[in-house]
Amino acid sequence: MSKIANKQKICEVLMEAAKTDKDIVALCSDSRGSASFTPFAEQYPEQFVETGIAEQNLVSISAGLAKCGKKPYAVSPACFLSTRSYEQCKIDAAYSNTNVKLIGISGGISYGALGMSHHSAQDIAAMAAIPNMRVYLPSDHLQTECLMKALLKDEKPAYIRVGRNAVDPVYEEGKVPFEMDKATVVTEGKDAVIVACGEMVKPAADAAKLLEAEGIRVTVLDMYCVKPLDKDAIVKAAKNAKLVVTAEEHSPFGGLGSMVSQVVGRECPKKVVNLSLPDAPVITGTSKEVFDYYGLNAQGIVKTVKENM
């Protein structure tokens, strides 16, 4: 199956919806090219707003449009959207409970060699800490399509983080077991549980296959809905397992690992190991090179499970 970037699928879904819904508005902060939103801007110029390099204005304008009955999708690099415009996300979007969908593109370490200034390793923690703000990290373009179609139907604020590059699909065309705000069970097993989000789901699924070949059967949970976190799915999978491992393209603090640890510690105490980026500026390289270096790949997940069983 072909690899498609999640950001491209977001644009495709919104372009299809905009054919009949003229209230849909896409906004970019000098990022339409990197966001794959040039086709939207060209086909629907009256439903597109370019703010320039002004992420704070991007969010505030989106909130204003939402209050006027529009359905804004603010698209900007995750590193800037989650930090430079944090107050606007907190007050204009979340506190005011406006129908603003914040699309953080090129999330995590997607920008590679551009370094810490362009990496977003804190956005899950930051956005999840805001009341009324939901946080989603879809794993492939098929799940992204399902998520975006679901978000088109509600009027609540949300932050959606996707990577920069095309990713290998986790699911099959027409066979995506999607339920809004519910984790997807990718594989099932009782020896260990791997909870992953975003681009870490595919390595987790690949790790499960490698472990099964060695007689270790694991449950893989695609926790695309980081907030609201599907606590029931975590408890159900973890209660009979020997170990829980989390995998995320994020700082070790305040992200998926921290959230899962809280649930497991309270509901069914057992060992939880968090695989994440380090609490330091990451090495320079492509996403794959960085993931490989820090063990955020199938082999690294396998190693972690076997060492902690």
Side-chain angles (χ1 to χ4, degrees):
M1 187 181 295
S2 60
K3 296 166 64 173
I4 300 174
N6 292 346
K7 61 182 183 178
Q8 179 182 334
K9 182 55 65 174
I10 291 174
C11 182
E12 290 175 3
V13 171
L14 292 181
M15 287 182 68
E16 182 63 28
K19 288 180 181 178
T20 55
D21 190 345
K22 298 308 175 182
D23 286 331
I24 290 175
V25 181
L27 302 90
C28 288
S29 56
D30 194 36
S31 53
R32 74 182 77 177
S34 59
S36 298
F37 262 75
T38 299
F40 190 103
E42 291 176 345
Q43 186 163 335
Y44 302 107
E46 294 183 357
Q47 292 172 254
F48 181 81
V49 177
E50 173 59 72
T51 69
I53 304 176
E55 292 80 7
Q56 294 170 329
N57 289 347
L58 175 80
V59 178
S60 292
I61 291 169
S62 297
L65 288 170
K67 285 298 184 183
C68 295
K70 298 297 182 181
K71 301 171 184 177
Y73 289 78
V75 187
S76 182
C79 55
F80 305 133
L81 187 61
S82 63
T83 55
R84 190 173 294 164
S85 57
Y86 190 62
E87 182 178 3
Q88 286 71 31
C89 294
K90 173 185 171 185
I91 303 302
D92 297 348
Y95 179 61
S96 300
N97 204 26
T98 51
N99 182 19
V100 175
K101 304 304 192 292
L102 304 164
I103 312 294
I105 60 164
S106 301
I109 47 82
S110 294
Y111 278 123
L114 293 180
M116 187 171 171
S117 65
H118 282 63
H119 295 164
S120 56
Q122 78 303 311
D123 54 339
I124 297 176
M127 288 299 182
I130 301 177
N132 287 338
M133 185 64 73
R134 297 168 295 166
V135 178
Y136 299 103
L137 278 79
S139 57
D140 68 6
H141 73 276
L142 297 169
Q143 189 182 68
T144 298
E145 180 177 10
C146 294
L147 173 62
M148 292 307 299
K149 287 180 177 178
L151 289 172
L152 279 164
K153 298 175 183 177
D154 71 47
E155 298 182 353
K156 298 178 290 184
Y159 174 71
I160 304 94
R161 189 240 263 187
V162 295
R164 185 183 190 187
N165 303 311
V167 294
D168 291 319
V170 176
Y171 305 102
E172 296 181 33
E173 193 82 43
K175 297 180 180 180
V176 185
F178 180 85
E179 185 176 354
M180 190 62 172
D181 295 335
K182 298 293 182 182
T184 299
V185 179
V186 181
T187 65
E188 289 189 85
K190 291 190 175 182
D191 292 322
V193 179
I194 304 171
V195 187
C197 62
E199 292 189 22
M200 290 298 101
V201 176
K202 185 62 166 68
D206 291 344
K209 293 178 182 177
L210 295 173
L211 289 165
E212 185 175 11
E214 298 187 39
I216 301 172
R217 290 173 172 78
V218 303
T219 292
V220 173
L221 292 180
D222 179 349
M223 194 62 70
Y224 78 90
C225 48
V226 177
K227 184 189 176 186
L229 188 73
D230 188 351
K231 300 175 184 178
D232 291 341
I234 295 170
V235 174
K236 180 180 178 180
K239 63 182 179 181
N240 295 317
K242 303 178 183 71
L243 170 72
V244 177
V245 174
T246 66
E248 61 187 316
E249 187 182 358
H250 191 265
S251 157
F253 305 113
L256 179 67
S258 298
M259 297 178 193
V260 171
S261 296
Q262 289 178 343
V263 173
V264 174
R266 182 176 62 248
E267 302 293 341
C268 50
K270 59 193 59 190
K271 187 172 186 178
V272 179
V273 180
N274 178 24
L275 277 173
S276 68
L277 296 170
D279 180 30
V282 303
I283 64 161
T284 297
T286 65
S287 291
K288 184 180 184 306
E289 289 169 341
V290 175
F291 291 155
D292 289 347
Y293 185 85
Y294 293 113
L296 291 170
N297 55 20
Q299 292 73 25
I301 296 172
V302 168
K303 181 171 182 283
T304 298
V305 170
K306 292 172 68 175
E307 286 180 350
N308 289 278
M309 286 284 286

